[in-house]
Amino acid sequence: MKQNLFANTRQLSRFILRLDRIRIPLWIIGLAIFTFIVPPAFNNLYKTEQDIAVIAETMANPAMIAMVGTADLDNYTIGVMTAHQMLVITAVIVGIMAILLVTRHTRADEEDGRIEMIRSLPSGRLSYLNATLLVTSGAFVVLAVCIGFGLYALGIESMDLKGSLLYGAALGGTGFVFSGVTAIFAQLSESSRGTIGWSIAVLIFMYLFRAITDVSNEALSWLSPLGWVTKTEVYSANHWGPIVIMLFVSFVLFVVANFLNSIRDLEQGFIASKPGKRYASRFLQSPIGLAFRLQRTGFVAWAIGLYVLGASYGSIFGDLESFFVGNETFQQLLQQAEGASIVEQFIPTLMIVISLIATIPPVLAMNKLCGEEKKNRLDHFIGRAVSRTQLIGSYAVLAVLNGFVMISVSALGLWSAATAVMEDGLDFGFVYKAALVYYPAMLVMIGVAAFLIGFLPRMTHFIWVYVIYSFFVLYIGNLIDFPDWVGQLSPFGHVPQVPIEDATFMPLFLLSSIAVGLLIVGFIGFRNRDIEN
């Protein structure tokens, strides 16, 4: 009987690999490139011991320790520097990868009725869950091996094979742990949205817990999986003990997920949904009300996350001069202006990063309409007295409001943290104006998403390529020195660099007009095209 629980797991693993034959390689290639471009850059930037000593002193700042973790600052080689500044951030991205991949093939497939169909075939009750865990675990093993040997192949003196393999193993172990966390929440929650929400909440909590304990009580950071990442001390002491802990905890999480899956009913969860009201409110009976209700949890989570992001950047303002003085590379990130302070020169670059990240939730809110269409839920609206224009307009209004809130809370977080650590503080209007000028560019991104939904619904993912392109050419482009026209292909490349430049009316008006035009055209396309079935 027990053998039947895992029947045809291998065949289902091949099926999942087939489904993710593009998605998983893209994740691995993206993470590898993200990792491999940094050590050579550091090696070219910090050529003398004096340069390394300056950056080591900067990274000893409590705000920087909270952001990236602890390290052996007395032996701050290029390898240690890479692991210190990159490993925790990359581990967070790996955690997100694990959450999305596992949710896609557990709770999301269950919601869409695929697992019920698979169970009607000769497959075990636990086969699909374990096939998912096998595929994701295999992906993280491949990621660990690629990262490990890839870093060693760079040929940097302080990055030996043992440390490089440990670097990859730390990332792979993080993927294992959060695959297990997500697998458990896939049993506890009744929806894919809840599974992702709870899993991301755990990831954020673990990051914040590590950040606080690394500064206040380093011993307590052993309670966080992201703390185990820093405890490996890659390229320094090279401790493999935390990797063993990761593997053991992952095994326990996998076993618990299997047990919970074996005792629950299909399409049910252990965390019961709250009983709804007997009568829906007037707001909920409208398309915009229902759309907001579906996105409410994600909206709140993103708002909190962006406030924390702004606050984390604001926390370095108390020691900003030591961060840039004597470091030619970091000075390239400043918008040079005669007579302007370092704060005034740094804020435009900082706002590019914050505004691009703040663009993600409103674009997600807009693309939610396409997701509902793919799940054949729009027929219920269109079959009633709801026009297509009203339907797409509801999601567009939510996306526009979402973008305004996200850029606002980011600015609020930056201002509040910077004011707390600076002697003279910052004027809120000064910070908010520097952030708000990017709002029209965010609207253009929303407009592009609406246009794709209206005319090219199968290519809605193209918007993420555009967002990533904008980040690369406008932020990293400052270091690589791209031509101006490359940055101007993005709407964010036309935003005045406040406070270095004046917030002139014409660029913001043109961006807003383009956004409105794209939204109108997208509305027309959605109204006239066939709904996918």
Side-chain angles (χ1 to χ4, degrees):
M1 182 67 180
K2 289 185 178 179
Q3 291 180 347
N4 292 334
L5 292 175
F6 304 97
N8 287 322
T9 300
R10 183 169 60 180
Q11 287 83 347
L12 289 172
S13 299
R14 292 169 59 188
F15 172 65
I16 293 172
L17 274 173
R18 170 71 178 174
L19 292 175
D20 283 350
R21 65 188 183 279
I22 296 177
R23 181 175 281 100
I24 290 177
L26 284 178
W27 270 109
I28 294 174
I29 292 170
L31 286 167
I33 294 174
F34 180 68
T35 301
F36 296 156
I37 63 174
V38 173
F42 282 165
N43 198 35
N44 292 328
L45 295 173
Y46 307 106
K47 297 181 179 179
T48 66
E49 292 185 1
Q50 183 179 1
D51 294 336
I52 294 176
V54 170
I55 188 63
E57 183 179 353
T58 301
M59 300 308 293
N61 186 307
M64 300 307 299
I65 292 175
M67 287 181 64
V68 298
T70 57
D72 184 4
L73 298 178
D74 295 328
N75 181 34
Y76 210 57
T77 62
I78 296 299
V80 175
M81 184 188 305
T82 300
H84 184 209
Q85 299 187 30
M86 292 292 297
L87 193 51
V88 170
I89 302 300
T90 311
V92 171
I93 300 174
V94 170
I96 295 173
M97 171 185 173
I99 291 168
L100 296 178
L101 288 178
V102 174
T103 302
R104 168 179 163 81
H105 294 297
T106 52
R107 181 53 71 172
D109 278 348
E110 192 168 336
E111 268 187 325
D112 294 337
R114 296 191 185 101
I115 293 182
E116 182 178 8
M117 181 178 64
I118 289 171
R119 284 194 184 178
S120 68
L121 302 171
S123 64
R125 183 184 183 92
L126 302 178
S127 298
Y128 202 67
L129 172 62
N130 284 279
T132 300
L133 293 176
L134 280 173
V135 171
T136 53
S137 298
F140 291 121
V141 170
V142 173
L143 174 68
V145 172
C146 290
I147 294 291
F149 284 105
L151 287 173
Y152 178 67
L154 294 176
I156 297 175
E157 183 179 356
S158 59
M159 300 176 69
D160 57 7
L161 180 60
K162 183 179 179 181
S164 299
L165 291 177
L166 181 57
Y167 191 111
L171 296 179
T174 303
F176 274 59
V177 170
F178 283 98
S179 293
V181 169
T182 309
I184 288 178
F185 280 118
Q187 316 310 316
L188 298 179
S189 177
E190 289 188 342
S191 66
S192 59
R193 187 173 67 250
T195 301
I196 293 175
W198 283 107
S199 302
I200 292 289
V202 170
L203 178 62
I204 294 173
F205 174 78
M206 291 302 178
Y207 177 82
L208 294 177
F209 183 83
R210 179 215 54 79
I212 294 170
T213 53
D214 275 350
V215 174
S216 60
N217 188 342
E218 192 176 340
L220 291 177
S221 63
W222 278 99
L223 299 176
S224 168
L226 295 177
W228 303 338
V229 172
T230 61
K231 300 302 182 186
T232 55
E233 297 187 32
V234 176
Y235 297 121
S236 178
N238 287 333
H239 295 308
W240 285 85
I243 306 301
V244 176
I245 296 175
M246 286 182 177
L247 295 177
F248 175 76
V249 170
S250 302
F251 175 76
V252 173
L253 293 173
F254 289 0
V255 170
V256 173
N258 273 274
F259 173 73
L260 294 176
N261 193 29
S262 67
I263 63 174
R264 73 173 178 87
D265 293 331
L266 192 65
E267 299 185 3
Q268 299 297 314
F270 289 97
I271 300 177
S273 299
K274 293 181 180 179
K277 296 179 180 179
R278 186 172 183 180
Y279 299 102
S281 66
R282 184 176 297 276
F283 181 66
L284 189 58
Q285 294 178 38
S286 64
I288 191 172
L290 178 59
F292 176 75
R293 178 65 182 83
L294 294 174
Q295 301 180 41
R296 183 179 61 184
T297 303
F299 177 86
V300 174
W302 271 104
I304 294 172
L306 283 164
Y307 177 86
V308 172
L309 176 70
S312 65
Y313 281 120
S315 63
I316 70 173
F317 273 61
D319 198 24
L320 202 59
E321 289 194 11
S322 64
F323 194 76
F324 285 100
V325 171
N327 192 314
E328 295 181 2
T329 302
F330 284 175
Q331 288 179 2
Q332 293 181 44
L333 297 176
L334 300 176
Q335 299 295 328
Q336 303 296 332
E338 186 176 350
S341 66
I342 289 183
V343 171
E344 292 174 331
Q345 295 177 58
F346 183 49
I347 278 185
T349 300
L350 196 57
M351 285 306 173
I352 289 175
V353 178
I354 290 177
S355 62
L356 281 165
I357 296 175
T359 301
I360 296 174
V363 171
L364 284 173
M366 190 70 239
N367 280 352
K368 180 72 173 175
L369 175 62
C370 197
E372 295 294 297
E373 180 181 357
K374 291 178 180 178
K375 294 179 179 179
N376 298 324
R377 294 173 179 167
L378 297 190
D379 296 339
H380 301 291
F381 288 98
I382 298 173
R384 291 168 171 77
V386 177
S387 68
R388 294 194 185 194
T389 302
Q390 185 181 5
L391 188 58
I392 189 174
S394 299
Y395 283 85
V397 168
L398 286 178
V400 169
L401 293 176
N402 189 312
F404 179 78
V405 172
M406 297 306 159
I407 195 68
S408 298
V409 296
S410 302
L412 181 62
L414 176 65
W415 168 79
S416 59
T419 301
V421 298
M422 295 177 67
E423 292 183 3
D424 299 330
L426 282 177
D427 179 62
F428 177 71
F430 168 80
V431 176
Y432 192 57
K433 182 179 180 181
L436 202 59
V437 291
Y438 286 93
Y439 184 54
M442 296 172 67
L443 294 180
V444 173
M445 288 295 188
I446 296 171
V448 172
F451 175 84
L452 293 174
I453 291 172
F455 288 93
L456 302 168
R458 295 182 182 273
M459 297 182 63
T460 51
H461 295 304
F462 172 78
I463 186 64
W464 302 118
V465 177
Y466 199 24
V467 172
I468 294 171
Y469 169 83
S470 299
F471 178 84
F472 184 79
V473 299
L474 294 174
Y475 180 61
I476 302 178
N478 284 337
L479 299 176
I480 304 178
D481 197 21
F482 282 145
D484 292 340
W485 67 266
V486 175
Q488 290 174 353
L489 294 176
S490 166
F492 292 87
H494 297 274
V495 176
Q497 303 295 294
V498 177
I500 300 302
E501 300 175 356
D502 293 331
T504 52
F505 171 77
M506 189 54 65
L508 302 181
F509 173 75
L510 290 175
L511 287 172
S512 301
S513 300
I514 292 171
V516 171
L518 287 169
L519 285 169
I520 292 174
V521 173
F523 283 22
I524 294 172
F526 183 75
R527 186 183 64 189
N528 294 333
R529 73 171 173 85
D530 292 334
I531 297 298
E532 289 189 6
N533 193 330

